[in-house]
């Protein structure tokens, strides 16, 4: 098939119509993929093995039970060297036969599968069982070649069968749907198993078994595994909604009732559809293709709104279930290629590509107007997977450029000395101490295949099918002996109907009569994403008169305002954590008219809170650029509504940090000689944020960082907030001020304690290390010959869109408003609540006495010395000291909690 003609103008070069990427450039990119794989794999082997996964920021292995629990995400870990098993067939594909042989020997000698540990059936099946079967397939292929693995006697297959038998107890349900978790040693039932009480599982969890279990049955000749997988698929098919032919996201494994009735192609359902089509490809059973095509027709009718793929309700499929998409649906264009439906695949992929260029990576979830919904990115490979399949189908070099973008962004933003770190926030470039096994199992396979020629591959990939974890199962299994007594729930209504089949892929010459056709599909989508950042609607006044006090004018420290609130029946409550709560009791108002004014005031507060959420500034980044960090550690910081707007600065503000004295920053700075020309560190408390900024600015600081004094607080567990002014003009404040929660601030303080001189960069997002060290030798090792990709200019800022739900309360009820969203000082953010959250413009810290205990800096001093001596020492060494039991930087990084609650819920749905 000749390459398609189109025009490309990218950072990597300019190609004329029909001109493919030069072979030497493809070879360079292919070698770059191998180098990146080596960097990730070798660091796992050096620093983590035999642990399940690598923690790339702290350069050690993640061992379940020894690290803080991450909830359901940890169910993938079973103390069975997960990453090594998941990577076996990747080694072979990348021509690393010697390393593969060594890895197989390690698995056989070191890995145990009888651990007393509860694991996810779904994850263990696709990663471990799939990895063992993929490794066995590769070992057999190499052995038949006569040069390698001549000693191999099906040992990996024996391990796979052992694991399959350990998973089988999970299928002991009346429906045939598996329990979501199983104890590798004790099974499901019984007190020692610590599982078996669950009632629900996700559709993908139950429907993503057939490839691995059928392959295991056909490799071993034991039909029991395939029989159980087929039974689970049959039950899901029977429980589909018959009118829409869609399935829900979560199902009761005993009754078959749908627990979550939203339906899409992303998290919770994704690989169920994938395995129906691939089961037909691998096993040759027409029934799987018929079911897939029926589902696919409904997906295209109800869920697909090109280029979007939006969840709907299975009983009311014309009713959208949500207004955002998750990143797991990025696999779907690749599945559409296998189906032969190229046009919608091009459209959805282009939408995903533009979102990727907007944020460097696909956010875990994003809205229909392409804003960030969940900001994490755990280095998922689905977009690379679809890119590879579209290139295979079209030969269009545009997809090679998409692959180049993926490579460059991984190297620029995710690469760290000990591997590749997941992105904690794509907006700021901050990292998580996490490198999942699927990164090695999938990402490098698809990227290598994208740039490889046939002669670069040790075998013909067309002879294999990729599992959802990209493990390779040979198509010859369709001819392997298997039991003819495999039960099936096929009914008369399911007699094979030729109208449900597409036996061949469409002729691409007919699909693309115009050489510019693919480009014409992509252009409007690119424009839609670029112009998809609407400005918040202006504030609208309530339509029911004008109360004597406007919500936007309210100040919590103004005695007149407090008296007006009292007359309207509104009381102000100071919470222990520093927040302020407004409560309205109509019966306590001085008159009926005043009570009505109070209700309108509360309604205005709700409107104001909602508006502030729309106008919320995105988080900022504090990047440690000095030795030994060199820009690799990025801390998520909250912005201020005053001072320098870092989003308008192309370089940010860079300087060495020093602790201000007094640490609170609430009076004139006494160590101005150290603060001058530096970025001052301040402790939250005792006065307004704006007051702190004025004091350090007067002392000559070039920026400020306020660190939360609430021990244990973290941006992982609390939403960031904006630091507001003090109720008067803040135009005099010209330096940038950022806010760090306690855990992130402790990392910076401990770095200062350990290294004395710590230089940071304050910016709107993490900067490329090459840009930071422009004109200087680049610290550490970066990919030689890597190509910079021009950063995409964003038309507007992105923001998290986790709304607070508002429930207005009638006059006869109590109305509550919490003043936390935009805090001038000491009004702490809270987790999402039913009560609306609005701005507190109080210039006085609420709920906290002005005289506090000694700051941590002073508490850590030697109290046996006179205070004057301690003060003198602190002026000589302005670095903030902490107590002798303080953790090291590495320990603090390790203790950093890694996932927002919303993201954990998404992972739970998937698991």
């Amino acid at each position: 098939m000749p390459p398609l003609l189109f025009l490309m103008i990218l950072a990597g070069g300019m190609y004329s119509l029909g001109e493919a990427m030069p072979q030497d450039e493809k070879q360079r990119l292919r070698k770059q993929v191998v180098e990146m794989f080596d960097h990730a794999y070798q660091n796992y082997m050096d620093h983590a093995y035999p642990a399940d996964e690598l923690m790339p920021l702290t350069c050690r292995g993640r061992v379940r039970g020894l690290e803080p629990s991450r909830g359901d995400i940890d169910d993938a870990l079973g103390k069975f060297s997960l990453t090594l098993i998941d990577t076996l067939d990747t080694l072979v594909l990348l021509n690393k036969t010697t390393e593969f042989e060594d890895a197989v020997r390690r698995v056989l000698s070191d890995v145990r599968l009888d651990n007393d540990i509860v694991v996810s059936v779904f994850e263990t099946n696709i990663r471990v069982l799939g990895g063992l079967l993929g490794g066995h397939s590769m070992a057999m292929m190499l052995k038949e070649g006569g040069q390698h693995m001549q000693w191999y006697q099906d040992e990996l297959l024996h391990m796979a069968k052992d694991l399959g038998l350990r998973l089988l107890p999970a299928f002991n349900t009346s429906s045939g749907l598996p329990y979501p978790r199983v104890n590798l040693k004790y099974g499901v039932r019984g007190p020692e198993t610590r599982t078996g009480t669950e009632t629900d599982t996700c559709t993908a969890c139950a429907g993503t078994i057939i490839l691995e279990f059928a392959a295991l049955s056909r490799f071993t000749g034991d039909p029991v595994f395939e029989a159980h997988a087929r039974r689970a698929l049959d039950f899901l098919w029977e429980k589909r909604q018959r009118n829409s032919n869609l399935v829900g996201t979560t199902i009761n494994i005993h009754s078959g009732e749908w627990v979550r009735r939203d339906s899409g192609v992303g998290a919770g359902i994704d690989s169920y559809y994938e395995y129906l089509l691939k089961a037909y490809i691998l096993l040759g059973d027409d029934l799987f293709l018929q079911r897939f095509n029926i589902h696919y027709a409904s997906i295209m009718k109800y869920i697909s709104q090109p280029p979007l793929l939006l969840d709907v309700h299975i009983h009311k499929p014309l009713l959208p279930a949500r207004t955002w998409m998750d990143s797991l649906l990025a696999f779907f264009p690749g599945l559409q290629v296998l189906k032969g439906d190229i046009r919608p695949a091009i459209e959805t992929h282009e939408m995903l590509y533009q979102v990727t260029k907007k944020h460097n990576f696909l956010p875990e979830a994003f809205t229909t107007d392409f804003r960030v919904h969940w900001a994490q990115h755990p280095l998922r490979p689905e977009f690379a997977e679809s890119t590879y399949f579209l290139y295979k189908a079209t030969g269009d070099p545009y997809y090679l450029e998409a692959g180049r973008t993926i490579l460059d962004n991984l190297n620029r933003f995710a690469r760290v000395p000990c591997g590749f770190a997941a992105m904690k926030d794509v907006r700021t470039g901050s990292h998580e101490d996490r490198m999942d096994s699927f990164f090695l199992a999938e990402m490098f396979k698809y990227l290598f295949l994208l740039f490889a020629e046939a002669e670069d591959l040790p075998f013909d990939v067309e002879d294999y099918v990729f599992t959802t974890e990209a493990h390779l199962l040979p198509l010859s299994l369709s001819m392997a002996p298997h039991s003819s007594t495999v039960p099936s729930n096929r009914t008369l209504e399911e007699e094979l109907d030729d109208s449900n089949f597409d036996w061949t892929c469409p002729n691409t010459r007919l699909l693309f009569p115009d050489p510019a056709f693919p480009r014409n599909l992509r252009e409007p989508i690119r424009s839609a994403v670029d112009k998809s950042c609407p400005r918040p609607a202006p504030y609208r006044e309530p339509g029911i008169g004008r109360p004597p006090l406007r919500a936007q004018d309210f100040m919590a420290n103004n005695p007149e305002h407090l008296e007006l609130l009292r007359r309207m029946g509104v009381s102000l409550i100071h919470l222990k954590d520093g927040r302020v709560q407004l409560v309205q009791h109509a019966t306590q108002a001085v008159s009926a008219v005043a009570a009505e004014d109070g209700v309108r005031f509360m309604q205005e507060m709700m409107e104001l809170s909602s508006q502030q959420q729309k106008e919320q500034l995105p988080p900022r980044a504090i990047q440690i650029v000095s030795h030994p960090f060199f820009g690799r550690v990025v801390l998520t910081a909250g912005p201020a509504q005053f001072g320098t707007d870092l989003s308008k600065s192309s370089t940010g503000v860079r300087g060495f940090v020093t602790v201000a004295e007094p640490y609170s920053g609430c009076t004139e700075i006494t160590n101005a000689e150290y603060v001058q020309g530096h970025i001052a560190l301040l402790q939250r408390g005792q006065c307004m944020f704006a007051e702190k900024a004025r004091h350090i600015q007067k002392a000559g600081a070039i920026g400020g960082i306020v660190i939360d004094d609430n021990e244990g607080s973290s941006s992982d567990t609390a939403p960031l907030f904006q630091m507001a002014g003090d109720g008067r003009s803040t135009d005099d404040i010209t330096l940038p001020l950022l806010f760090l929660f306690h855990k992130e601030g402790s990392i910076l303080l401990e770095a200062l304690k350990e290294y004395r001189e710590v230089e940071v960069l304050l910016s709107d997002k993490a900067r490329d290390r090459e840009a930071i060290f422009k004109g200087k030798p680049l610290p550490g090792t970066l990919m030689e010959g890597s190509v910079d990709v021009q950063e995409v200019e964003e038309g507007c800022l992105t923001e998290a869109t986790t709304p607070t739900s508002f429930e207005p309360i009638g006059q006869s009820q109590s109305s509550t408003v919490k003043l936390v969203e935009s805090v001038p000082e000491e009004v702490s953010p809270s987790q999402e609540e039913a009560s609306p959250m609005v701005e507190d413009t109080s210039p006085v810290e609420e709920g906290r006495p002005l005289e506090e205990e000694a700051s941590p800096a002073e508490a850590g001093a030697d109290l046996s010395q006179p205070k004057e001596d301690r003060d003198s020492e602190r002026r000589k060494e302005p670095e903030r000291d902490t107590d002798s039991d303080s953790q090291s930087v590495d320990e603090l990084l390790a203790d950093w909690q890694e996932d927002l609650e919303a993201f954990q819920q998404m992972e739970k749905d998937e698991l």
Side-chain angles (χ1 to χ4, degrees):
M1 179 174 60
L4 298 170
L5 306 180
F6 64 99
L7 180 64
M8 287 183 53
I9 302 177
L10 293 170
M14 182 182 296
Y15 303 137
S16 60
L17 285 175
E19 183 179 346
M21 178 181 285
Q23 285 301 312
D24 59 345
E25 179 64 5
K26 287 184 68 175
Q27 182 182 18
R28 187 191 71 79
L29 293 172
R30 184 167 63 251
K31 289 181 178 179
Q32 187 174 7
V33 172
V34 176
E35 186 278 336
M36 292 167 66
F37 169 83
D38 289 340
H39 178 67
Y41 178 71
Q42 200 56 53
N43 273 289
Y44 166 74
M45 296 304 296
D46 291 345
H47 300 293
Y49 181 81
D52 283 317
E53 289 181 343
L54 170 68
M55 300 172 68
L57 296 183
T58 50
C59 301
R60 67 176 191 266
R62 183 181 297 282
V63 179
R64 192 168 170 186
L66 299 184
E67 301 295 333
S69 173
R70 301 175 299 168
D72 294 339
I73 302 174
D74 284 340
D75 287 344
L77 311 181
K79 297 182 179 179
F80 36 37
S81 301
L82 173 64
T83 298
L84 183 62
I85 293 177
D86 221 0
T87 309
L88 289 176
D89 49 7
T90 307
L91 289 167
V92 178
L93 184 69
L94 271 59
N95 296 292
K96 296 184 174 296
T97 309
T98 302
E99 290 88 342
F100 170 74
E101 193 158 352
D102 178 65
V104 171
R105 292 185 186 276
R106 285 178 181 267
V107 169
L108 299 181
S109 63
D110 299 346
V111 174
R112 294 187 55 177
L113 299 174
D114 60 349
N115 301 312
D116 179 11
I117 193 167
V118 176
V119 296
S120 161
V121 173
F122 168 74
E123 296 289 356
T124 305
N125 173 68
I126 65 171
R127 298 202 206 187
V128 185
L129 182 57
L132 292 171
L133 293 172
H136 171 68
S137 300
M138 296 294 98
M140 292 300 296
M141 181 269 297
L142 291 172
K143 184 177 182 179
E144 291 170 3
Q147 293 184 352
H148 302 280
M149 301 296 293
Q150 296 304 299
W151 55 269
Y152 182 70
Q153 298 295 326
D154 296 346
E155 289 89 347
L156 291 177
L157 181 59
H158 299 324
M159 289 185 69
K161 184 172 183 180
D162 178 28
L163 181 60
L165 291 171
R166 295 180 185 279
L167 296 178
L168 278 184
F171 292 81
N172 188 20
T173 62
S174 58
S175 66
L177 299 180
Y179 284 97
R181 298 171 185 83
V182 67
N183 186 299
L184 288 176
K185 186 172 184 178
Y186 297 112
V188 171
R189 296 187 177 177
E192 71 277 9
T193 67
R194 304 186 302 281
T195 187
T197 59
E198 303 95 336
T199 58
D200 306 336
T201 192
C202 72
T203 302
C205 302
T208 311
I209 306 289
I210 185 64
L211 292 188
E212 292 82 4
F213 269 41
L216 182 58
S217 283
R218 301 196 181 200
F219 272 133
T220 62
D222 187 344
V224 64
F225 305 104
E226 184 172 347
H228 279 290
R230 283 178 176 265
R231 185 180 176 215
L233 278 179
D234 288 343
F235 190 82
L236 288 174
W237 174 254
E238 286 296 317
K239 292 301 177 179
R240 75 191 186 284
Q241 212 290 322
R242 298 303 178 97
N243 292 324
S244 66
N245 280 315
L246 296 173
V247 291
T249 301
T250 308
I251 192 171
N252 185 295
I253 59 176
H254 304 297
S255 67
E257 293 293 321
W258 291 109
V259 178
R260 283 183 51 191
R261 301 184 178 188
D262 47 313
S263 183
V265 296
I269 303 180
D270 49 1
S271 48
Y272 163 68
Y273 294 131
E274 177 185 3
Y275 269 37
L276 283 177
L277 181 57
K278 290 183 176 179
Y280 165 69
I281 295 171
L282 179 67
L283 306 177
D285 189 333
D286 297 341
L287 181 63
F288 292 124
L289 181 59
Q290 183 190 34
R291 291 178 178 178
F292 172 80
N293 281 329
I294 291 172
H295 280 315
Y296 185 77
S298 293
I299 290 170
M300 299 309 292
K301 181 178 181 180
Y302 300 118
I303 296 171
S304 177
Q305 302 178 33
L308 309 179
L309 292 164
L310 293 177
D311 284 19
V312 299
H313 295 277
I314 57 175
H315 292 91
K316 297 180 180 179
L318 298 178
L319 181 64
R322 63 190 190 192
T323 58
W324 48 271
M325 297 164 280
D326 65 72
S327 63
L328 285 170
L329 61 75
F331 89 101
F332 198 67
L335 190 66
Q336 289 178 307
V337 169
L338 290 182
K339 157 74 176 172
D341 199 0
I342 307 295
R343 175 172 183 146
I346 291 173
E347 293 174 329
T348 298
H349 180 277
E350 181 62 18
M351 177 268 293
L352 296 169
Y353 186 28
Q354 295 305 317
V355 173
T356 296
K357 292 200 289 186
K358 211 172 179 57
H359 306 295
N360 297 322
F361 299 97
L362 268 184
E364 275 294 78
F366 51 93
T367 61
T368 53
D369 58 355
F370 313 111
R371 295 175 183 266
V372 172
H373 185 66
W374 295 334
Q376 300 84 359
H377 174 77
L379 307 182
R380 294 199 184 277
E382 285 78 12
F383 178 67
E385 175 185 358
S386 288
T387 302
Y388 162 66
F389 280 112
L390 269 169
Y391 179 66
K392 287 285 289 185
T394 65
D396 190 335
Y398 180 83
Y399 298 108
L400 297 177
E401 291 298 333
R404 186 210 298 270
T405 300
I406 297 170
L407 278 184
D408 289 342
N409 287 346
L410 285 172
N411 263 328
R412 295 175 67 196
F413 303 111
R415 186 170 182 139
V416 294
C418 288
F420 291 85
M423 306 307 296
K424 179 181 178 181
D425 193 318
V426 299
R427 297 164 299 187
T428 64
S430 55
H431 292 132
E432 291 188 73
D433 201 1
R434 170 182 181 183
M435 189 179 82
D436 291 82
S437 68
F438 54 67
F439 182 61
L440 286 164
E442 301 183 66
M443 180 70 80
F444 295 110
K445 274 198 189 85
Y446 291 124
L447 290 176
F448 183 79
L449 287 169
L450 178 64
F451 298 113
E453 305 294 341
E455 58 269 21
D456 301 316
L457 303 176
F459 56 88
D460 187 355
V461 293
E462 300 299 334
D463 293 335
Y464 295 83
V465 66
F466 289 101
T467 69
T468 194
E469 192 76 2
H471 291 307
L472 293 154
L473 299 177
L475 295 177
S476 58
L477 287 174
S478 62
M479 307 301 294
H482 62 284
S483 173
S484 60
T485 61
V486 174
S488 173
N489 291 346
R490 182 184 299 181
T491 61
L492 290 178
E493 69 167 325
E494 292 183 72
E495 288 303 318
L496 298 183
D497 179 359
D498 284 350
S499 65
N500 286 322
F501 290 82
D502 290 330
W503 295 105
T504 60
C505 290
N507 186 329
T508 54
R509 292 180 182 274
L510 297 177
L511 243 180
F512 304 125
D514 178 2
F517 180 72
R519 185 187 63 192
N520 293 337
L521 291 179
R522 291 191 289 257
E523 283 298 333
I525 296 168
R526 182 180 299 118
S527 300
V529 176
D530 287 343
K531 298 175 182 177
S532 62
C533 296
R535 297 185 180 276
Y539 175 78
R540 293 176 299 177
E541 295 186 10
I544 314 176
R546 180 185 176 92
L549 177 63
R550 300 294 306 276
Q552 64 189 40
D553 300 327
F554 171 69
M555 296 184 66
N557 71 312
N558 189 316
E560 294 182 7
H561 290 181
L562 296 178
E563 174 60 21
L564 288 172
L565 291 186
R566 186 193 68 78
R567 294 178 63 84
M568 294 187 294
V570 178
S571 56
L572 185 145
I573 301 173
H574 301 281
L575 303 180
K576 291 182 179 180
D577 59 4
R579 291 178 296 157
V580 176
Q581 189 176 49
L582 293 178
V583 180
Q584 201 250 350
H585 299 275
T587 56
Q588 296 180 7
V590 295
S591 66
V593 174
E596 291 181 7
D597 288 341
V599 171
R600 288 195 290 271
F601 175 81
M602 299 296 283
Q603 290 173 341
E604 279 194 343
M605 279 293 188
M606 296 177 188
E607 288 275 344
L608 185 59
S609 175
S610 176
Q611 180 65 19
Q612 286 170 346
Q613 284 189 352
K614 295 179 182 178
E615 296 174 347
Q616 185 178 9
L617 295 172
R620 305 303 188 205
I622 298 176
Q623 194 166 5
I624 307 179
V625 299
S626 55
H627 171 82
F629 306 98
F630 298 125
R632 296 188 181 99
V633 174
V634 183
L635 307 175
T636 301
Q641 293 179 341
F642 52 84
T644 301
D645 185 353
L646 292 171
S647 67
K648 297 179 180 178
S649 171
S650 59
T651 58
V653 174
R654 179 172 174 172
F656 289 91
V657 298
T658 189
V659 177
E661 295 182 7
Y663 189 32
S664 68
C666 292
T667 58
E668 185 173 344
I669 302 301
T670 59
N671 63 335
E673 67 274 20
Y674 294 108
V675 170
Q676 186 174 10
H678 287 67
I679 295 173
L681 301 183
L682 306 157
Q683 186 183 44
R684 180 183 183 183
Q686 303 183 29
C687 65
M688 304 293 293
F689 290 122
E691 188 176 349
K692 297 175 190 287
R694 290 189 178 97
H695 283 137
I696 62 172
Q697 180 172 290
K698 183 178 179 182
I702 60 174
I705 300 173
V706 179
I707 298 175
D708 195 8
D709 60 345
N710 181 18
E711 186 171 355
S713 66
S714 170
S715 63
D716 295 322
T717 55
L720 286 176
F721 55 81
Q722 305 173 57
M723 295 181 288
D726 54 2
R728 58 193 179 98
S729 174
T730 54
D731 293 342
D732 59 314
I733 301 175
T734 58
L735 53 69
L737 190 71
L738 298 182
F739 177 87
L740 286 179
F741 281 111
H742 186 269
K743 282 196 174 182
E744 288 83 351
S746 296
I747 293 172
L748 187 57
L749 290 169
E750 289 301 325
L752 183 60
K753 177 184 175 183
E754 187 167 348
Y755 300 105
R756 297 291 181 176
E757 291 188 349
V758 175
E759 188 179 17
V760 301
L761 174 65
L762 313 183
S763 57
D764 60 331
K765 61 182 178 181
R767 303 291 176 174
D768 181 15
R769 294 176 64 233
E770 293 187 7
I772 294 174
F773 298 100
K774 188 174 183 180
K776 301 179 182 179
L778 195 61
T781 57
L782 275 184
M783 180 59 206
E784 187 176 353
S786 62
V787 176
D788 277 346
V789 176
Q790 183 179 356
E791 291 189 17
V792 179
E793 294 290 336
E794 297 191 25
C796 61
L797 298 174
T798 58
E799 62 180 19
T801 55
T802 307
T804 304
S805 56
F806 301 111
E807 299 178 2
I809 305 174
Q811 289 188 35
S812 61
Q813 302 294 327
S814 296
S815 301
T816 303
V817 177
K818 292 187 179 179
L819 285 63
V820 298
E821 188 65 30
S822 181
V823 280
E825 178 58 308
E826 307 322 323
V827 183
S828 304
S830 64
Q831 297 294 336
E832 184 173 318
E833 295 173 299
S835 304
M837 296 185 288
V838 298
E839 178 177 359
D840 174 17
T841 53
S842 167
V844 181
E845 178 183 353
E846 298 294 346
R848 184 187 297 237
L850 291 179
E851 293 184 8
E852 296 192 328
E853 66 277 11
S855 69
E858 194 164 307
D862 183 358
L863 298 180
S864 64
Q865 294 179 275
K867 183 177 187 299
E868 294 77 15
D869 292 346
R870 296 200 306 270
D871 290 344
S872 175
E873 278 193 15
R874 288 171 64 195
R875 280 193 291 272
K876 292 177 182 177
E877 294 184 11
E879 295 85 8
R880 174 175 176 263
D881 198 6
T882 56
D883 59 76
S884 58
D885 296 328
S886 62
Q887 296 172 288
S888 68
V889 178
D890 285 348
E891 289 171 334
L892 283 165
L893 284 169
D895 192 46
W896 207 353
Q897 295 295 330
E898 299 177 25
D899 296 287
L900 294 173
E901 185 176 348
F903 174 49
Q904 290 175 334
Q905 181 62 44
M906 176 179 156
E907 292 281 1
K908 183 177 180 180
D909 292 343
E910 181 187 3
L911 291 169

